[in-house]
Amino acid sequence: EEGKLYLGMDFGTSGARYALIDKNGSIQAEGKREYPLYMVILGHYCTTSSSVLKSEESVDWVKSWRTTLFALLEDIPVSLRAAVASISVDGTSATTLIVDSTTGEPLCRPFLYNESCPEALPVVKSIAPVNHTVCSGSSTLCKLVYWWNTFNSAKQSAILLHQADWLLWLLHGKLGVSDYNNALKVGYDPETESYPPWLLAQPYSCVLPTVQSPGSTIGFVKEIIRTHLGFPEDCVICTGTTDSIAAFIAARASRPGQAVTSLGSTLAIKLSSTQRVEDARFGVYSHRLDDKWLVGGASNTGGAVLRRIFTDEQLQKLSEQINSAEASLLDYYPLQDIGERFPVADPNMEPRLHPRPASDVEYLHGILESIARIEAKGYSLLEELGATPVEEVFTSGGGSKNEKWIAIRERVLGLPVRRALQTEAAYGAALLAMKGADISLNTDELVRFGECVNNF
Ligand code: ADP
């Protein structure tokens, strides 16, 4: 263990980061890269009639991610590389690739996390249970069904991978492995650890990947990569997770009752719970993390509304003047647009930011207090739905810098609220890599997989 390092890489929406940590969780090196935007003419790459594609030219994400992966690996200081015991990667949820099962080459362009395949939704709704997480146009399953019904080529020799699975495959070479966090939106049931019968009954179930728990060993790093970059012979590649779960893992709030509130443009809460909780009305669902559940909900309130009214400097100056010990009686519901999902399911809810008092300090106090009440209501709702009651809140995002807001939130929630020490998803992925390396390795059981030189 001594001197070993664990590498996590995060592939987010605009760029990728890496974090290299030691066994105490201290960061030994970190870095980031924006995605280079290679263009590809879609007509040559694959043909599709999807309504989401407006132009002929599109970003070549496959090339962009692959280049970024190896650029990040090259960014790791040479002197530290020989100590890298394990590597894990997180990617954006529901970003999907369909690849050839022998070469690993994508059979069409990737489907991005936020892309919707509305054509496939009625089909998915007709086979999945009511309100299942796959019943959304951007779910991985809708993307798969869309592909299956649109493209005629190579259906029998195709494999579905999520972005993180595919990036990890470039490193280990064993095709068709995923983790149960990424696989949730394709319909995998992490509780029974299997694909449900209604999914296995479909012809396209043959393209589904096998699923392991996040942060479990897949195999050794490919030799060509190891020797080129200077990683040790026993460096292992471990399954990853999604970007938002990696960010939760980074905050190390894993005990049931511990939670993370992310206060960025919007407000998202995630609570570690012994009970699995799902309620489609509120968009509440649970991811599995080993023997616990990660219950989440996301409100449309948050920092984006603040930014419309105040600059970040004003926010800071005005906040300093707030008396956080005193409750504000102003009752707002700050929203950017009409409609809320959690903790109130009302698509017609109007933003409420009036009356505006003469004092900006009072106005801001009222808004911060109102958002804190929405946060508190979110945690109460999760408890009502059956989750472990929240005991302690860690917080991340732009809003977590505001000490006065933290004090207001502690009073309104009646709980300790602390800034999370680590909030980067790459750090969470590094913790998963550490977990994967820590299981006592029976190296005889780990096979070295075929080298695909053309992919490096
Ligand atoms: P994103 O979700 O876009 O990644 P960030 O985590 O970067 O968001 O947070 C940005 C948000 O933080 C902005 O919407 C801004 O209003 C809010 N913010 C920035 N500074 C403060 C502050 N001092 N107090 C409260 N909110 C703040």
Side-chain angles (χ1 to χ4, degrees):
E1 312 293 295
E2 214 50 55
K4 288 204 169 153
L5 300 175
Y6 310 94
L7 174 62
M9 284 187 278
D10 161 56
F11 281 71
T13 53
S14 63
R17 292 168 183 264
Y18 84 86
L20 189 61
I21 65 172
D22 63 20
K23 72 171 194 324
N24 302 316
S26 304
I27 296 171
Q28 297 301 317
E30 59 188 329
K32 64 174 172 183
R33 289 263 179 174
E34 314 241 297
Y35 297 131
L37 296 185
Y38 304 111
M39 300 310 282
V40 67
I41 307 290
L42 273 174
H44 293 203
Y45 192 46
C46 67
T47 42
T48 169
S49 60
S50 171
S51 52
V52 292
L53 300 172
K54 289 189 188 72
S55 73
E56 275 293 291
E57 251 200 334
S58 156
V59 175
D60 186 349
W61 287 113
V62 165
K63 188 170 174 187
S64 184
W65 296 331
R66 179 156 50 197
T67 307
T68 305
L69 173 72
F70 289 106
L72 283 181
L73 292 176
E74 305 251 10
D75 286 345
I76 298 169
V78 178
S79 60
L80 299 178
R81 291 186 199 163
V84 176
S86 56
I87 303 174
S88 187
V89 174
D90 71 79
T92 45
S93 177
T95 297
T96 309
L97 293 101
I98 314 270
V99 305
D100 183 281
S101 60
T102 41
T103 64
E105 281 306 306
L107 294 171
C108 65
R109 64 169 192 88
F111 296 93
L112 298 186
Y113 63 100
N114 57 356
E115 266 177 60
S116 189
C117 297
E119 309 91 326
L121 192 53
V123 183
V124 167
K125 281 190 167 164
S126 72
I127 54 167
V130 181
N131 289 333
H132 193 283
T133 27
V134 296
C135 298
S136 138
S138 60
S139 75
T140 315
L141 187 56
C142 281
K143 287 163 179 159
L144 170 58
V145 168
Y146 170 76
W147 174 80
W148 187 265
N149 291 337
T150 309
F151 298 90
N152 290 315
S153 63
K155 280 181 181 164
Q156 299 314 317
S157 61
I159 287 189
L160 179 146
L161 293 177
H162 307 92
Q163 183 191 27
D165 310 335
W166 182 77
L167 289 159
L168 288 163
W169 165 74
L170 291 174
L171 302 179
H172 60 67
K174 181 188 182 186
L175 264 176
V177 185
S178 188
D179 65 83
Y180 55 57
N181 293 156
N182 269 302
L184 194 77
K185 287 188 180 165
V186 79
Y188 186 81
D189 183 353
E191 195 160 356
T192 58
E193 299 189 16
S194 58
Y195 290 105
W198 57 262
L199 183 51
L200 291 174
Q202 306 305 320
Y204 40 81
S205 66
C206 59
V207 312
L208 295 170
T210 58
V211 177
Q212 301 183 187
S213 62
S216 61
T217 316
I218 303 168
F220 291 107
V221 67
K222 283 157 80 171
E223 195 182 335
I224 187 166
I225 294 169
R226 177 174 68 73
T227 50
H228 182 79
L229 290 166
F231 293 125
E233 205 167 338
D234 57 354
C235 176
V236 289
I237 309 298
C238 308
T239 48
T241 183
T242 68
D243 54 352
S244 60
I245 293 184
F248 178 88
I249 292 171
R252 306 192 102 156
S254 56
R255 198 158 38 77
Q258 288 184 320
V260 175
T261 302
S262 157
L263 260 175
S265 304
T266 60
L267 180 148
I269 70 178
K270 287 201 167 62
L271 169 67
S272 177
S273 167
T274 53
Q275 294 298 313
R276 181 184 195 177
V277 172
E278 316 262 320
D279 196 315
R281 283 176 300 163
F282 300 107
V284 169
Y285 64 95
S286 297
H287 270 287
R288 183 174 165 187
L289 275 180
D290 297 319
D291 56 346
K292 294 179 238 16
W293 294 95
L294 187 48
V295 188
S299 162
N300 292 334
T301 194
V305 185
L306 286 173
R307 198 162 259 175
R308 275 199 191 169
I309 308 170
F310 303 111
T311 64
D312 284 7
E313 272 141 87
Q314 283 177 313
L315 280 178
Q316 209 178 327
K317 292 230 169 69
L318 294 170
S319 295
E320 281 166 18
Q321 298 169 58
I322 292 174
N323 177 3
S324 54
E326 209 169 275
S328 167
L329 299 176
L330 295 164
D331 182 24
Y332 302 136
Y333 208 106
L335 292 173
Q336 264 182 298
D337 300 299
I338 290 172
E340 173 69 308
R341 181 104 185 259
F342 172 89
V344 182
D346 178 4
N348 301 317
M349 184 190 270
E350 303 263 354
R352 195 169 68 239
L353 280 160
H354 288 275
R356 179 170 182 160
S359 152
D360 275 348
V361 176
E362 252 181 71
Y363 191 40
L364 179 62
H365 189 171
I367 297 172
L368 298 184
E369 183 112 6
S370 299
I371 295 177
R373 284 190 215 111
I374 296 167
E375 181 183 8
K377 192 163 181 190
Y379 284 116
S380 317
L381 176 63
L382 295 188
E383 187 178 343
E384 273 169 44
L385 296 176
T388 303
V390 60
E391 286 170 11
E392 188 179 10
V393 174
F394 295 90
T395 185
S396 62
S400 72
K401 290 181 293 194
N402 189 325
E403 293 296 334
K404 286 286 169 73
W405 202 359
I406 288 189
I408 291 170
R409 293 162 64 198
E410 288 202 304
R411 172 170 51 72
V412 172
L413 289 162
L415 295 169
V417 178
R418 273 185 287 157
R419 271 188 86 177
L421 287 178
Q422 299 292 345
T423 55
E424 287 296 343
Y427 187 90
L431 289 175
L432 281 181
M434 192 197 296
K435 178 184 161 213
D438 266 353
I439 57 160
S440 55
L441 275 178
N442 179 354
T443 43
D444 293 340
E445 278 178 14
L446 284 177
V447 190
R448 287 180 191 278
F449 301 103
E451 306 285 308
C452 292
V453 181
N454 57 335
N455 288 315
F456 178 41

